[in-house]
Amino acid sequence: MNTDRLLLLAPRPNDTAPRLGAAAARRGIRALTAPDWKAPAGTPDGVRAHLYGGPLLADSVAGELGILALEPPADWLARLPRALSGRQVESVTLAEARRLRRPAFVKPPTDKFFPARIYPDGSRLPGPDAFDDNLPVLVSDIAGFAREYRLFVLDGAVHTGSRYALGPALDPLPLDEDPYAAEARAFAGELLTDPACRLPSAAVVDVGMLQDGGWAAVEANPAWASGGYACDPERVLDVVCRAAGPVAEAAATDAPFARPIPTGGPAKP
Protein backbone atom coordinates (compact mmCIF):
# COMPACT_ATOMS: atom_id res chain seq x y z
CA MET A 1 0.00 0.00 0.00
CA ASN A 2 1.33 3.44 -0.95
CA THR A 3 0.95 5.23 2.39
CA ASP A 4 2.41 8.35 0.81
CA ARG A 5 -0.89 9.05 -0.97
CA LEU A 6 -4.35 9.27 0.61
CA LEU A 7 -7.91 9.58 -0.71
CA LEU A 8 -10.13 10.95 2.06
CA LEU A 9 -13.85 10.23 1.71
CA ALA A 10 -16.64 12.07 3.51
CA PRO A 11 -18.26 10.50 6.60
CA ARG A 12 -21.56 10.50 4.70
CA PRO A 13 -20.52 8.66 1.52
CA ASN A 14 -22.64 8.46 -1.62
CA ASP A 15 -22.83 5.51 -4.01
CA THR A 16 -19.69 6.68 -5.82
CA ALA A 17 -17.39 6.78 -2.79
CA PRO A 18 -16.87 3.00 -2.36
CA ARG A 19 -16.17 2.61 -6.08
CA LEU A 20 -13.56 5.37 -5.91
CA GLY A 21 -12.13 3.78 -2.78
CA ALA A 22 -11.78 0.45 -4.59
CA ALA A 23 -10.20 2.16 -7.62
CA ALA A 24 -7.75 3.94 -5.32
CA ALA A 25 -6.82 0.67 -3.60
CA ARG A 26 -6.03 -0.90 -6.98
CA ARG A 27 -3.49 1.90 -7.48
CA GLY A 28 -1.98 1.44 -4.06
CA ILE A 29 -3.58 4.63 -2.73
CA ARG A 30 -4.90 4.44 0.81
CA ALA A 31 -8.64 5.22 0.85
CA LEU A 32 -10.06 6.33 4.19
CA THR A 33 -13.57 7.37 5.19
CA ALA A 34 -13.27 10.31 7.58
CA PRO A 35 -14.80 9.50 10.98
CA ASP A 36 -15.90 13.13 11.31
CA TRP A 37 -15.78 16.41 9.37
CA LYS A 38 -12.08 16.88 10.02
CA ALA A 39 -8.71 15.47 9.06
CA PRO A 40 -8.23 12.05 10.69
CA ALA A 41 -6.02 11.93 13.75
CA GLY A 42 -2.60 10.50 13.04
CA THR A 43 -2.47 11.57 9.38
CA PRO A 44 1.28 11.38 8.66
CA ASP A 45 3.19 14.54 7.83
CA GLY A 46 3.94 14.87 4.14
CA VAL A 47 1.10 12.66 2.98
CA ARG A 48 -0.10 13.61 -0.51
CA ALA A 49 -3.83 13.87 0.07
CA HIS A 50 -6.90 14.05 -2.15
CA LEU A 51 -10.52 14.31 -1.12
CA TYR A 52 -13.93 13.31 -2.39
CA GLY A 53 -17.07 14.28 -0.55
CA GLY A 54 -18.38 17.79 -1.07
CA PRO A 55 -17.91 21.37 0.16
CA LEU A 56 -18.17 20.64 3.88
CA LEU A 57 -15.34 18.11 3.72
CA ALA A 58 -13.25 20.44 1.55
CA ASP A 59 -13.73 23.36 3.92
CA SER A 60 -12.90 21.16 6.90
CA VAL A 61 -9.69 19.48 5.75
CA ALA A 62 -8.20 21.17 2.67
CA GLY A 63 -6.11 23.66 4.60
CA GLU A 64 -4.75 21.17 7.10
CA LEU A 65 -3.94 18.53 4.48
CA GLY A 66 -2.55 20.97 1.91
CA ILE A 67 -5.22 20.23 -0.71
CA LEU A 68 -6.14 22.59 -3.52
CA ALA A 69 -9.83 21.97 -4.30
CA LEU A 70 -10.75 23.21 -7.77
CA GLU A 71 -14.24 24.39 -8.69
CA PRO A 72 -15.82 26.04 -11.74
CA PRO A 73 -16.60 29.77 -11.47
CA ALA A 74 -19.89 30.45 -9.69
CA ASP A 75 -21.20 32.29 -12.76
CA TRP A 76 -19.96 29.70 -15.29
CA LEU A 77 -23.39 28.94 -16.74
CA ALA A 78 -24.34 32.62 -16.93
CA ARG A 79 -21.18 33.38 -18.92
CA LEU A 80 -22.04 30.96 -21.71
CA PRO A 81 -23.64 32.23 -24.92
CA ARG A 82 -27.30 31.34 -25.21
CA ALA A 83 -26.46 28.93 -28.05
CA LEU A 84 -24.73 26.77 -25.42
CA SER A 85 -26.85 27.42 -22.32
CA GLY A 86 -30.12 27.04 -24.23
CA ARG A 87 -31.87 29.59 -22.01
CA GLN A 88 -31.43 32.92 -20.28
CA VAL A 89 -29.24 32.52 -17.20
CA GLU A 90 -28.19 35.27 -14.79
CA SER A 91 -25.80 35.32 -11.86
CA VAL A 92 -27.33 37.53 -9.16
CA THR A 93 -27.39 37.90 -5.39
CA LEU A 94 -30.04 36.17 -3.34
CA ALA A 95 -31.47 39.59 -2.47
CA GLU A 96 -31.95 40.33 -6.17
CA ALA A 97 -33.48 36.91 -6.77
CA ARG A 98 -36.02 37.52 -4.02
CA ARG A 99 -37.42 40.36 -6.15
CA LEU A 100 -38.40 37.98 -8.97
CA ARG A 101 -42.08 38.10 -9.84
CA ARG A 102 -42.10 35.17 -12.27
CA PRO A 103 -41.35 31.45 -12.08
CA ALA A 104 -37.65 30.64 -12.47
CA PHE A 105 -35.16 27.91 -11.71
CA VAL A 106 -32.89 29.11 -8.88
CA LYS A 107 -29.83 27.36 -7.49
CA PRO A 108 -26.71 28.10 -5.46
CA PRO A 109 -23.79 27.49 -7.84
CA THR A 110 -21.78 25.01 -5.74
CA ASP A 111 -22.77 24.74 -2.07
CA LYS A 112 -26.25 23.29 -1.61
CA PHE A 113 -27.41 26.01 0.76
CA PHE A 114 -31.05 25.54 -0.29
CA PRO A 115 -32.85 23.32 -2.82
CA ALA A 116 -32.16 23.97 -6.51
CA ARG A 117 -35.60 23.93 -8.13
CA ILE A 118 -38.31 25.96 -9.84
CA TYR A 119 -39.64 28.72 -7.56
CA PRO A 120 -43.01 30.33 -8.41
CA ASP A 121 -41.49 33.72 -7.58
CA GLY A 122 -38.73 35.21 -5.47
CA SER A 123 -40.87 35.43 -2.36
CA ARG A 124 -40.58 31.65 -1.98
CA LEU A 125 -36.78 31.79 -1.63
CA PRO A 126 -35.14 31.64 1.82
CA GLY A 127 -35.30 34.97 3.64
CA PRO A 128 -32.48 37.12 5.03
CA ASP A 129 -32.88 35.42 8.40
CA ALA A 130 -31.67 32.19 6.75
CA PHE A 131 -29.01 33.34 4.26
CA ASP A 132 -27.03 36.49 3.60
CA ASP A 133 -28.40 38.89 0.97
CA ASN A 134 -25.09 38.73 -0.93
CA LEU A 135 -25.14 34.96 -1.44
CA PRO A 136 -24.59 34.37 -5.20
CA VAL A 137 -27.26 32.36 -7.00
CA LEU A 138 -28.06 31.43 -10.57
CA VAL A 139 -31.47 32.32 -11.96
CA SER A 140 -32.50 30.72 -15.23
CA ASP A 141 -35.49 30.36 -17.48
CA ILE A 142 -37.27 27.07 -17.06
CA ALA A 143 -35.94 24.49 -19.51
CA GLY A 144 -37.18 20.95 -20.06
CA PHE A 145 -34.53 18.30 -20.67
CA ALA A 146 -35.36 15.00 -22.32
CA ARG A 147 -31.99 13.40 -21.51
CA GLU A 148 -29.13 14.49 -19.25
CA TYR A 149 -25.50 13.41 -19.12
CA ARG A 150 -22.66 13.75 -16.60
CA LEU A 151 -19.21 14.33 -18.08
CA PHE A 152 -15.99 14.17 -16.08
CA VAL A 153 -13.66 16.55 -17.88
CA LEU A 154 -9.86 16.43 -17.77
CA ASP A 155 -7.67 18.95 -19.60
CA GLY A 156 -10.59 20.23 -21.67
CA ALA A 157 -11.81 16.84 -22.92
CA VAL A 158 -14.40 14.29 -21.81
CA HIS A 159 -12.55 11.67 -19.76
CA THR A 160 -15.59 9.54 -18.88
CA GLY A 161 -19.33 10.06 -18.96
CA SER A 162 -22.73 8.70 -18.06
CA ARG A 163 -26.32 9.35 -18.89
CA TYR A 164 -28.06 10.04 -15.62
CA ALA A 165 -31.65 11.01 -16.44
CA LEU A 166 -34.42 10.43 -18.95
CA GLY A 167 -36.90 13.26 -18.45
CA PRO A 168 -37.47 13.62 -14.69
CA ALA A 169 -36.45 10.02 -13.95
CA LEU A 170 -32.99 8.95 -12.81
CA ASP A 171 -31.71 6.40 -15.35
CA PRO A 172 -27.91 5.96 -15.30
CA LEU A 173 -26.20 4.30 -18.26
CA PRO A 174 -22.56 4.43 -19.47
CA LEU A 175 -22.31 7.24 -21.99
CA ASP A 176 -21.27 5.14 -24.94
CA GLU A 177 -24.18 2.73 -24.42
CA ASP A 178 -26.67 5.57 -24.90
CA PRO A 179 -28.07 5.97 -28.45
CA TYR A 180 -27.33 9.71 -28.40
CA ALA A 181 -23.74 9.37 -27.16
CA ALA A 182 -22.23 10.73 -30.38
CA GLU A 183 -24.45 13.82 -30.22
CA ALA A 184 -23.63 14.35 -26.54
CA ARG A 185 -19.91 14.12 -27.27
CA ALA A 186 -20.19 16.46 -30.24
CA PHE A 187 -22.00 19.08 -28.18
CA ALA A 188 -19.50 18.66 -25.34
CA GLY A 189 -16.69 19.28 -27.80
CA GLU A 190 -18.34 22.50 -28.96
CA LEU A 191 -18.97 23.59 -25.37
CA LEU A 192 -15.52 22.81 -24.00
CA THR A 193 -13.72 24.65 -26.80
CA ASP A 194 -15.82 27.81 -26.58
CA PRO A 195 -13.81 30.78 -25.19
CA ALA A 196 -16.56 31.47 -22.62
CA CYS A 197 -16.18 27.99 -21.12
CA ARG A 198 -13.58 28.77 -18.44
CA LEU A 199 -13.02 25.68 -16.33
CA PRO A 200 -10.25 24.24 -14.16
CA SER A 201 -8.25 21.38 -15.65
CA ALA A 202 -10.51 18.89 -13.86
CA ALA A 203 -14.25 19.41 -13.42
CA VAL A 204 -17.70 17.97 -14.04
CA VAL A 205 -20.00 19.32 -16.74
CA ASP A 206 -23.59 18.20 -17.19
CA VAL A 207 -25.20 18.55 -20.61
CA GLY A 208 -28.63 17.62 -21.88
CA MET A 209 -30.90 17.21 -24.85
CA LEU A 210 -33.74 19.70 -24.63
CA GLN A 211 -37.28 18.55 -25.18
CA ASP A 212 -37.28 20.36 -28.53
CA GLY A 213 -34.28 18.30 -29.64
CA GLY A 214 -31.53 20.90 -29.18
CA TRP A 215 -28.61 20.57 -26.78
CA ALA A 216 -27.62 22.75 -23.83
CA ALA A 217 -25.30 22.92 -20.85
CA VAL A 218 -27.04 22.02 -17.60
CA GLU A 219 -24.40 23.04 -15.05
CA ALA A 220 -20.77 22.63 -14.01
CA ASN A 221 -19.64 21.34 -10.61
CA PRO A 222 -16.48 20.33 -8.75
CA ALA A 223 -15.45 16.76 -9.55
CA TRP A 224 -14.77 16.13 -5.86
CA ALA A 225 -18.43 16.84 -5.06
CA SER A 226 -20.16 15.03 -7.95
CA GLY A 227 -21.69 11.58 -8.18
CA GLY A 228 -20.25 9.25 -10.78
CA TYR A 229 -23.48 7.51 -11.87
CA ALA A 230 -22.43 4.92 -14.51
CA CYS A 231 -19.07 6.53 -15.31
CA ASP A 232 -15.91 4.41 -15.28
CA PRO A 233 -14.70 4.77 -11.65
CA GLU A 234 -11.03 4.48 -12.66
CA ARG A 235 -11.37 7.48 -14.93
CA VAL A 236 -13.53 9.35 -12.41
CA LEU A 237 -10.67 8.88 -9.95
CA ASP A 238 -8.25 10.47 -12.45
CA VAL A 239 -10.41 13.59 -12.52
CA VAL A 240 -11.10 13.67 -8.77
CA CYS A 241 -7.41 13.35 -7.90
CA ARG A 242 -6.56 16.30 -10.15
CA ALA A 243 -9.53 18.33 -8.92
CA ALA A 244 -8.64 17.96 -5.23
CA GLY A 245 -4.99 17.20 -4.69
CA PRO A 246 -1.75 18.52 -3.21
CA VAL A 247 -1.17 22.24 -3.64
CA ALA A 248 2.42 21.53 -4.64
CA GLU A 249 1.25 19.42 -7.60
CA ALA A 250 -1.28 21.92 -8.96
CA ALA A 251 -0.66 23.75 -12.23
CA ALA A 252 -0.39 27.53 -12.03
CA THR A 253 -3.27 27.82 -14.50
CA ASP A 254 -5.56 26.16 -11.95
CA ALA A 255 -4.86 28.66 -9.18
CA PRO A 256 -7.77 30.99 -10.13
CA PHE A 257 -10.20 28.08 -9.64
CA ALA A 258 -9.14 27.22 -6.08
CA ARG A 259 -11.92 27.10 -3.52
CA PRO A 260 -11.12 29.61 -0.77
CA ILE A 261 -10.21 28.08 2.56
CA PRO A 262 -12.62 29.41 5.24
CA THR A 263 -10.96 31.58 7.88
CA GLY A 264 -13.69 31.14 10.47
CA GLY A 265 -13.85 27.36 10.28
CA PRO A 266 -16.24 25.24 8.19
CA ALA A 267 -19.99 25.22 8.56
CA LYS A 268 -21.51 22.59 10.79
CA PRO A 269 -23.01 19.50 9.10
Side-chain angles (χ1 to χ4, degrees), residues 73-82 85 87-92 137-139 196:
D75 61 351
W76 178 82
L77 189 61
R79 292 183 184 188
L80 296 180
R82 188 157 184 162
S85 68
R87 63 224 187 261
Q88 179 67 35
V89 184
E90 296 178 280
S91 177
V92 301
V137 296
L138 294 176
V139 174

Side-chain angles (χ1 to χ4, degrees), residues 30 35 89 138 185-186 196 199 226-227 245:
R30 182 186 179 206
V89 184
L138 294 176
R185 286 186 177 276
L199 288 170
S226 301

Side-chain angles (χ1 to χ4, degrees), residues 11-206:
R12 296 176 187 164
N14 61 15
D15 291 342
T16 303
R19 286 180 283 177
L20 290 183
R26 287 191 289 271
R27 299 185 190 187
I29 299 171
R30 182 186 179 206
L32 177 65
T33 299
D36 200 349
W37 298 100
K38 58 187 177 183
T43 302
D45 292 339
V47 68
R48 293 181 291 170
H50 307 267
L51 67 86
Y52 175 79
L56 183 57
L57 183 67
D59 290 348
S60 301
V61 307
E64 185 175 349
L65 296 180
I67 294 172
L68 189 75
L70 305 176
E71 58 187 8
D75 61 351
W76 178 82
L77 189 61
R79 292 183 184 188
L80 296 180
R82 188 157 184 162
L84 295 176
S85 68
R87 63 224 187 261
Q88 179 67 35
V89 184
E90 296 178 280
S91 177
V92 301
T93 65
L94 183 55
E96 292 171 314
R98 291 191 192 108
R99 294 197 286 268
L100 285 170
R101 292 299 174 260
R102 60 177 174 83
F105 185 86
V106 183
K107 73 180 291 288
T110 301
D111 299 74
K112 310 304 181 187
F113 290 112
F114 59 85
R117 61 178 175 85
I118 296 171
Y119 289 85
D121 60 57
S123 68
R124 306 297 181 90
L125 289 164
D129 56 328
F131 297 106
D132 189 84
D133 285 347
N134 293 324
L135 181 73
V137 296
L138 294 176
V139 174
S140 73
D141 291 344
I142 299 167
F145 286 93
R147 318 173 78 87
E148 295 178 67
Y149 302 83
R150 171 142 298 172
L151 309 174
F152 281 79
V153 175
L154 191 64
D155 294 324
V158 176
H159 199 60
T160 185
S162 169
R163 184 184 77 201
Y164 64 87
L166 289 178
L170 188 67
D171 192 4
L173 184 73
L175 176 62
D176 290 328
E177 295 180 22
D178 182 86
Y180 293 91
E183 288 186 39
R185 286 186 177 276
F187 176 75
E190 180 184 356
L191 172 65
L192 295 172
T193 55
D194 190 276
C197 183
R198 279 190 69 244
L199 288 170
S201 66
V204 159
V205 173
D206 293 347

